[in-house]
């Protein structure tokens, strides 16, 4: 096993700085529907613990507490009514049902009809969520804020001249769009960071999404814009969540035409075809000429991931990190998915170590 490759051989701390916040822990204890089964949520606090442990074991000791950025950067990407819903959902739910449990939608919006939420929390959940995988509990809002603060802290490090940073955060973000939560995602951390970097003077950003699932939220946020390229390698929507989006034919609209690159892959994809797709994405990223590369880092492409269907092995993630390093851009890694708890830490740390070595 090539984990030894990482031991004690990472570059000095100014190469890669890791940001984290413990405030994610309160987002826990809810259930999710997996097809016909009600199960404890896969997206759980122990994901962060196992990644932290593996990062330290591979010599990444430079782990910094995130700073607070307030909601202004979030509101550059998400609508005020959606952000207000995320903040107020749990108190409204608790007032109706009492403490404990979790808030979730009972029904979803009806396509083609004019729908506005009213004062009922159920109307808000119907309007602002698109699946049954975004339960809200008492600690969800604090966790959402901690994830975006962690990402913005890492983005600021890169903005100020740092070579690379890793936002180790949860809940993830790439399924969330400006006014819709879904797929464990509430606020789109990567998108908020990309917008912040543009607002701070960057001309172009590229988002490379290597999570197993298509980042439908990130795609939607930047779909008609040319300043942010979105390139994603993911399981084909014909077989995998989010089912309705992620096709190669989705190439952007209006000014954004040509700035959305979807590279859907069949289930069972191994590292060789995966890297071929990555090379395609890398060429497009380089042609875009971004000031910063944002990597939506999911490792649910791992062969034994309970949510995934690809066949990447742990040592393959070292190669992906090295491939991303060779792009030669200031790089911000933002944690997305990965649910095989036993190997999640190793797989994530391998990407970071592969990048640093
Ligand atoms: Zn995923």
């Amino acid at each position: 096993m090539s984990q030894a490759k990482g031991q004690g051989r990472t570059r000095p701390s100014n190469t890669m700085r890791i940001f984290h916040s413990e405030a994610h822990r309160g987002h826990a204890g809810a259930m999710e529907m997996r097809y016909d089964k009600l199960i404890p949520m896969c997206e759980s606090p122990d994901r962060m613990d196992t990644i932290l442990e593996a990062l330290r074991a591979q010599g990444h000791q430079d782990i910094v507490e995130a700073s607070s950025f307030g909601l202004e950067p979030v509101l550059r990407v998400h609508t005020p009514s959606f952000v207000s819903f995320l903040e107020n959902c749990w108190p409204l739910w608790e007032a109706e049902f009492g403490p404990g449990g979790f808030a979730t939608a009972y029904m979803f919006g009806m396509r083609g009809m004019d729908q506005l939420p009213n004062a009922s929390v159920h109307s808000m959940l119907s309007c602002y969520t698109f699946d049954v995988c975004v339960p809200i509990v008492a600690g969800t809002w604090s966790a959402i804020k901690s994830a975006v603060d962690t990402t913005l802290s890492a983005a600021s490090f890169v903005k100020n001249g740092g070579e690379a940073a890793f936002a180790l955060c949860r809940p993830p973000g790439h399924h969330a769009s400006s006014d819709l939560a879904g797929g464990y995602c509430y606020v789109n951390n990567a998108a908020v960071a990309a917008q912040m970097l543009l607002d701070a003077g960057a001309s172009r950003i590229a988002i490379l999404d290597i999570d197993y699932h298509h980042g439908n939220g990130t795609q939607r946020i930047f779909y008609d814009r040319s300043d942010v390229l979105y390139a994603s390698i993911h399981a084909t929507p014909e077989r995998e969540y989010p089912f309705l989006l992620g096709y190669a034919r989705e190439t952007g609209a209006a000014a954004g035409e040509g700035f959305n690159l979807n590279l859907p892959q069949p289930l069972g994809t191994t590292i060789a075809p995966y890297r071929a797709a990555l090379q395609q994405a890398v060429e497009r990223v380089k042609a875009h000429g971004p000031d910063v590369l944002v990597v939506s880092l999911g490792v649910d492409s791992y062969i034994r991931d309970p949510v995934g269907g690809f066949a990447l092995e742990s040592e393959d993630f070292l190669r992906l990190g090295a491939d991303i390093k060779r792009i030669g851009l200031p790089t911000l890694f933002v944690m997305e998915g990965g649910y095989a708890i036993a190997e999640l830490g190793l797989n994530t740390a391998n990407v970071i170590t592969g990048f640093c070595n």
Side-chain angles (χ1 to χ4, degrees):
M1 180 57 239
S2 23
Q3 185 184 353
K5 253 179 124 177
Q7 299 286 1
R9 285 181 49 197
T10 47
R11 299 263 294 275
S13 57
N14 61 351
T15 301
M16 168 71 70
R17 186 159 295 174
I18 299 163
F19 292 84
H20 182 62
S21 162
E22 283 293 302
H24 70 88
R25 287 195 187 280
H27 180 52
M31 308 286 281
E32 65 172 292
M33 286 297 296
R34 174 79 45 78
Y35 299 103
D36 61 346
K37 307 226 168 16
L38 187 63
I39 59 171
M41 256 184 101
C42 269
E43 203 291 284
S44 58
D46 51 348
R47 296 177 63 240
M48 297 295 102
D49 297 332
T50 183
I51 296 171
L52 280 168
E53 192 184 336
L55 284 167
R56 291 192 177 109
Q58 294 194 20
H60 303 282
Q61 303 292 341
D62 190 8
I63 300 171
V64 179
E65 180 69 23
S67 314
S68 182
F69 287 77
L71 290 179
E72 216 168 290
V74 175
L75 291 166
R76 293 283 292 134
V77 165
H78 295 276
T79 65
S81 55
F82 175 69
V83 174
S84 166
F85 152 72
L86 293 176
E87 182 171 10
N88 296 307
C89 176
W90 178 253
L92 287 168
W93 184 276
E94 194 178 30
E96 190 171 334
F97 294 100
F102 57 92
T104 188
Y106 190 61
M107 55 155 284
F108 295 107
M110 290 155 281
R111 189 167 58 249
M113 302 189 76
D114 192 19
Q115 300 149 56
L116 289 172
N118 51 44
S120 150
V121 68
H122 305 287
S123 75
M124 297 175 196
L125 283 158
S126 299
C127 210
Y128 296 126
T129 67
F130 68 83
D131 68 15
V132 289
C133 302
V134 273
I136 289 176
V137 299
T140 299
W141 175 239
S142 295
I144 292 168
K145 283 189 293 177
S146 84
V148 77
D149 280 339
T150 301
T151 308
L152 289 171
S153 299
S156 295
F157 178 74
V158 173
K159 171 172 75 76
N160 295 330
E163 186 183 335
F166 176 28
L168 176 55
C169 57
R170 65 176 285 273
H174 74 151
H175 294 302
S177 58
S178 60
D179 60 355
L180 267 179
Y184 307 149
C185 302
Y186 304 81
V187 160
N188 194 314
N189 305 307
V192 172
Q195 186 61 54
M196 184 275 266
L197 291 165
L198 290 167
D199 291 343
S203 304
R204 286 175 302 281
I205 302 293
I207 299 178
L208 174 63
D209 190 333
I210 60 169
D211 187 277
Y212 168 74
H213 303 93
H214 177 244
N216 56 292
T218 314
Q219 168 171 299
R220 180 172 157 189
I221 288 166
F222 298 114
Y223 204 61
D224 60 357
R225 288 168 54 171
S226 60
D227 52 352
V228 179
L229 170 77
Y230 178 69
S232 175
I233 304 159
H234 52 265
T236 173
E238 283 164 356
R239 298 288 305 278
E240 189 54 89
Y241 182 99
F243 299 110
L244 296 168
L245 287 167
Y247 291 96
R249 63 172 180 257
E250 297 153 18
T251 55
E257 180 61 55
F259 292 87
N260 194 89
L261 177 64
N262 284 334
L263 298 165
Q265 306 296 313
L267 300 195
T269 291
T270 55
I271 188 64
Y274 191 95
R275 285 181 83 201
L278 179 60
Q279 196 47 44
Q280 239 183 298
V282 165
E283 292 308 318
R284 183 66 190 89
V285 165
K286 284 180 175 168
H288 186 58
D291 299 286
V292 175
L293 172 65
V294 178
V295 179
S296 269
L297 173 57
V299 294
D300 39 6
S301 48
Y302 176 60
I303 187 163
R304 280 174 283 283
D305 196 287
V307 178
F310 283 173
L312 269 57
E313 300 284 356
S314 289
E315 60 267 28
D316 295 336
F317 291 99
L318 285 162
R319 292 200 197 100
L320 297 188
D323 288 344
I324 292 166
K325 170 75 171 190
R326 274 192 292 275
I327 302 171
L329 288 165
T331 303
L332 166 64
F333 289 91
V334 183
M335 194 67 208
E336 302 283 1
Y339 309 97
I341 283 294
E343 300 91 358
L344 168 63
L346 174 64
N347 296 343
T348 306
N350 274 356
V351 175
I352 300 304
T353 295
F355 183 94
C356 289
N357 289 351

